[in-house]
Amino acid sequence: MIKNHETSAANTDSASDRLQALGLALPELRENPYYVHHRTVGSCIYISGQLPYRDGELLGQGVVGRDVELETAKELARHAVLNCLAAAVQAVGDLDRVRIVQMLVFVASTPDFGEQSKVANAASELLIEVVGENGRHARTAIGVAGLPLNSPVEIQMVIAAA
């Protein structure tokens, strides 16, 4: 699980250093025959929706508010955003060049859940911790009836090279 660390990652030099200070690393993304992890159009780079995978394993399944607790959904969102950052680095070559423009957070949740923004906040917080001001972004958090592979969370981004 990803945990908040008391270490102040903001005092380190690079985004990669901050990521490492948090005890995290970017995963390697597996190739997919049906889509690419990112596509550049003009100055915008579109990051495909990423699920909370780690080492090829989906870390959770179910519906938030029924099968999945809020805290678990927040951890899953942090893992999904790490996968987004990995795709962003593929696109721009270096974590310090990543500038998050927009993040869309999809949460498979019960109709009465209503706390999709809290799930999204966990991902936003990690982006700001790692990327600093370039991690601040426009954002939408949406509750949906279902997601691929019964994942509780999926995150999509639009980024630019800083």
Side-chain angles (χ1 to χ4, degrees):
M1 285 211 145
I2 299 173
K3 298 187 184 204
N4 290 331
H5 291 272
E6 298 297 321
T7 306
S8 177
N11 295 333
T12 59
D13 296 341
S14 72
S16 294
D17 290 341
R18 290 188 292 271
L19 187 69
Q20 187 174 7
L22 291 167
L24 302 173
L26 294 182
E28 287 192 36
L29 300 178
R30 295 184 176 186
E31 297 285 328
N32 190 296
Y34 305 107
Y35 66 89
V36 294
H37 290 291
H38 57 84
R39 173 74 68 200
T40 302
V41 178
S43 63
C44 290
I45 302 162
Y46 298 85
I47 305 296
S48 293
Q50 299 292 322
L51 301 179
Y53 276 105
R54 182 176 60 212
D55 300 327
E57 178 185 343
L58 186 61
L59 296 176
Q61 290 185 309
V63 174
V64 182
R66 184 183 70 211
D67 314 310
V68 178
E69 297 293 325
L70 174 62
E71 289 306 311
T72 300
K74 290 165 69 173
E75 288 297 318
L76 294 171
R78 289 171 64 93
H79 280 286
V81 89
L82 281 175
N83 290 320
C84 287
L85 285 176
V89 168
Q90 280 184 356
V92 302
D94 187 307
L95 194 53
D96 285 315
R97 296 192 62 228
V98 173
R99 180 173 178 221
I100 312 303
V101 175
Q102 181 183 35
M103 181 170 69
L104 299 146
V105 179
F106 302 93
V107 181
S109 52
T110 60
D112 63 339
F113 177 66
E115 294 185 309
Q116 291 83 1
S117 63
K118 289 183 180 178
V119 175
N121 286 348
S124 294
E125 178 183 85
L126 182 59
L127 288 174
I128 294 165
E129 283 181 278
V130 172
V131 189
E133 278 304 307
N134 283 340
R136 294 195 185 279
H137 51 274
R139 186 184 87 190
T140 302
I142 303 168
V144 297
L147 289 168
L149 304 175
N150 198 26
S151 176
V153 179
E154 182 173 7
I155 297 180
Q156 177 186 344
M157 287 184 176
V158 178
I159 69 163

